[in-house]
Amino acid sequence: MLVCDWGTSSFRLMRVSASGEILAQVATDQGVKQLNPEDMEAYLKAQMVTLGSITAPVVLCGMVGSGIGWYEVPYVTCPASVKSLSAALVRIPQTDLNAWCVPGVKLTSSQGDADVMRGEETQIIGWLTQASERERTNSTLCLPGTHSKWAHVEGAEICEFSTAFTGEMYALLNDHSVLVQGAQVACDNAFDAGLAASTDGAGLIHQLFNARSRSVLGLQSASASASYLSGLLIGSEVAGVAKKLSPGAVVHVICGDYLAEPYLKALTHFGLRGMHYSGSTYSALGLRAIAEARDLM
Amino acid sequence: MLVCDWGTSSFRLMRVSASGEILAQVATDQGVKQLNPEDMEAYLKAQMVTLGSITAPVVLCGMVGSGIGWYEVPYVTCPASVKSLSAALVRIPQTDLNAWCVPGVKLTSSQGDADVMRGEETQIIGWLTQASERERTNSTLCLPGTHSKWAHVEGAEICEFSTAFTGEMYALLNDHSVLVQGAQVACDNAFDAGLAASTDGAGLIHQLFNARSRSVLGLQSASASASYLSGLLIGSEVAGVAKKLSPGAVVHVICGDYLAEPYLKALTHFGLRGMHYSGSTYSALGLRAIAEARDLM
């Protein structure tokens, strides 16, 4: 069967075996942000042709099921499990494809907190298929990205989650602010200094300008300011969670390789233990598990 | 004499009396960001003509004395006073104008913190000319803006300060992020909800996405998201300082009228007492005081 993780800025169609192993795949930068909704079906078909399977059932997850995607699928309410997600799978209407879409998950609290995810729930379900019984009972997961998700799993359910704005904030500051200027080079020392500064003083909004002041006063080369900022933002994200966890607690980190290194470093800095899992593998496993629970295999 | 507060995004030339009262002024949006450095002298001359005083001494402060301004004036080191600032006044060379520029102030700590200001030091000096003896001895000041400054005054000196990135952050999120979408209306309730949320949970980077989730889930109209965000950011800024101050402490707020209301509201929310002073009045008073200390009057 085919499974597809179609997010805001990326597309990945995979042919998977009965055990969820990826046999072939097409990965592009054609996220739902890059396409008009009316062009998405044709785009998917063309990639299915590439993988040689135009008639196979295909199960999708991610922003493709949002208001800016191909077809909007209502959220399920947290806590969410493979059972509730598969029960709420929607067959996409008005297409000759046998296409199904996984819902996102929403969370609201009596204090007025609100949060949503689309796509990450599927990676968490995938991770649960490989987790030990103990891990399925009680685990903390981090899914870094444009909007990082932190989730708590209990009894094999996603029982709580929250979103950190780190990735989009970094991109905004990098592209448009006075904090980062000129050509940048990766700089481990500056990243570490940003991590250390993230818990200083009066909080992030007071710390950000440091990135500029350090350059202006020659304490840091301007070319290292993006690394400093990355440390400051990821440090701020991890520090906020670390204070609620026990020292030495394990955090399961699901993401692409390039984000794994800074997040693992930040987790270590705050006395936590990070374990990294590759994002696309767990999307495939999750989509397969949700499809199987609905007897679509 | 003439005094001029020339910042990144605004220009204000004022003719002041011997007591520092503003007799006439020209205020435009031609900040140093809008002009080439080589055009700044001519621009200033044209405005001096408008005020009828091309031969009078003119004392400037703000980003006009920075690397992106007309002529770069080195920072003085914190603690700074009317004495140290006037001693470091620089007469701008290679012009037939009798033009002087106030230096900015820099602060570095042994922990690697660094901060800079240009322009706000002059407003603080202006405020000190009007302050009571008790206020001159020990006061906390807040100067909201693109980069808000928080300063501590002791013994009529600026003895410590820090910068909050609130204004630029708000503009970035408003212009470029997914958090604010569509036409906006001012909304007091949403501002208050943002204030309340600013101290919840795991910190700002975790709270920001709430602005979007609340809209997506229909808990808040999309048109109120900018007000929510404003409350969240200003709340985050004030909360970070409030935890270091005594309950009921007075904060002297120097800024234009449109920023006064949200800041005073946030200060009240966090148990502090805000007193507002109009920004341009205090620039004029500060420039006059620094000029007088150098016998330029």
Side-chain angles (χ1 to χ4, degrees), chain A residues 114 165 178 205-206 210 237, chain B residues 114 165 168 178 205-206 210 237:
Chain A
F165 199 63
V178 300
I205 198 98
H206 292 271
N210 253 347
E237 175 185 344
Chain B
F165 198 64
E168 184 168 343
V178 299
I205 198 100
H206 292 271
N210 253 347
E237 175 185 345

Side-chain angles (χ1 to χ4, degrees), chain A residues 145-247:
Chain A
T146 305
H147 302 144
S148 294
K149 304 294 177 184
W150 287 80
H152 195 72
V153 162
E154 270 182 43
E157 291 189 329
I158 303 165
C159 68
E160 203 183 312
F161 68 94
S162 67
T163 302
F165 199 63
T166 316
E168 185 168 343
M169 175 81 81
Y170 177 77
L172 284 174
L173 295 173
N174 217 352
D175 293 348
H176 301 292
S177 83
V178 300
L179 301 185
V180 175
Q181 292 185 319
Q184 295 292 312
V185 295
C187 174
D188 276 0
N189 288 347
F191 180 84
D192 291 347
L195 271 188
S198 67
T199 49
D200 280 359
L204 181 63
I205 198 98
H206 292 271
Q207 291 297 324
L208 281 169
F209 195 70
N210 253 347
R212 176 165 167 83
S213 303
R214 288 165 60 94
S215 296
V216 168
L217 297 179
L219 301 176
Q220 173 177 285
S221 73
S223 62
S225 50
S227 297
Y228 179 84
L229 197 61
S230 173
L232 192 57
L233 293 174
I234 294 177
S236 177
E237 175 185 344
V238 173
V241 178
K243 66 187 178 190
K244 297 187 284 185
L245 297 174
S246 311

Side-chain angles (χ1 to χ4, degrees), chain B residues 4-276:
Chain B
C4 181
D5 185 349
W6 203 344
T8 305
S9 53
S10 66
F11 170 95
R12 186 183 298 265
L13 180 67
M14 301 166 272
R15 194 164 73 239
V16 296
S17 71
S19 63
E21 195 191 344
I22 299 171
L23 303 174
Q25 60 178 310
V26 179
T28 76
D29 60 359
Q30 295 297 295
V32 298
K33 206 172 55 183
Q34 274 79 40
L35 294 165
N36 289 319
E38 58 267 29
D39 298 331
M40 292 180 186
E41 179 183 0
Y43 184 80
L44 176 61
K45 278 184 179 168
Q47 314 316 312
M48 291 174 76
V49 168
T50 303
L51 291 189
S53 312
I54 193 73
T55 57
V58 54
V59 184
L60 303 105
C61 71
M63 290 296 280
V64 65
S66 75
I68 60 164
W70 177 13
Y71 184 76
E72 189 167 3
V73 178
Y75 295 101
V76 299
T77 301
C78 197
S81 62
V82 66
K83 195 175 160 189
S84 70
L85 288 164
S86 64
L89 259 183
V90 168
R91 178 154 185 181
I92 298 179
Q94 294 174 321
T95 169
D96 52 358
L97 291 175
N98 184 5
W100 299 74
C101 189
V102 176
V105 180
K106 69 175 174 183
L107 176 150
T108 53
S109 79
S110 53
Q111 292 87 48
D113 284 337
D115 222 319
V116 290
M117 60 162 78
R118 278 201 195 269
E120 296 89 353
E121 73 294 326
T122 301
Q123 294 184 313
I124 298 171
I125 297 299
W127 178 84
L128 282 165
T129 67
Q130 307 297 301
S132 69
E133 195 49 43
R134 191 166 151 221
E135 287 168 340
R136 291 164 60 85
T137 306
N138 194 331
S139 286
T140 300
L141 284 81
C142 171
L143 297 90
T146 304
H147 302 143
S148 294
K149 304 294 177 184
W150 287 80
H152 196 72
V153 162
E154 271 183 41
E157 291 190 328
I158 303 166
C159 67
E160 202 184 311
F161 69 93
S162 67
T163 302
F165 198 64
T166 315
E168 184 168 343
M169 175 80 83
Y170 177 78
L172 285 173
L173 295 173
N174 217 350
D175 294 347
H176 301 292
S177 83
V178 299
L179 300 185
V180 175
Q181 292 185 320
Q184 294 292 311
V185 294
C187 175
D188 277 0
N189 288 346
F191 180 85
D192 292 346
L195 272 188
S198 68
T199 49
D200 280 358
L204 182 63
I205 198 100
H206 292 271
Q207 291 298 325
L208 281 168
F209 195 70
N210 253 347
R212 177 165 166 81
S213 303
R214 288 166 59 93
S215 297
V216 168
L217 297 179
L219 301 177
Q220 173 178 284
S221 73
S223 62
S225 49
S227 297
Y228 179 85
L229 196 62
S230 173
L232 192 58
L233 293 174
I234 295 176
S236 178
E237 175 185 345
V238 173
V241 178
K243 66 187 179 191
K244 297 188 285 186
L245 298 174
S246 311
V250 172
V251 175
H252 304 278
V253 180
I254 306 176
C255 63
D257 289 344
Y258 78 104
L259 280 176
E261 190 186 334
Y263 273 84
L264 293 179
K265 205 166 176 180
L267 288 164
T268 303
H269 180 84
F270 289 105
L272 300 170
R273 290 192 295 140
M275 295 184 62
H276 176 230

Side-chain angles (χ1 to χ4, degrees), chain A residues 12 36 51 58 78 86 97 101 112 124 132 136 152 155 189-190 199 202 220-221 227 230-231 238-240 260 277:
Chain A
R12 186 182 299 266
N36 289 319
L51 290 189
V58 55
C78 197
S86 64
L97 290 175
C101 188
I124 298 171
S132 69
R136 292 164 59 86
H152 195 72
N189 288 347
T199 49
Q220 173 177 285
S221 73
S227 297
S230 173
V238 173
Y277 308 82

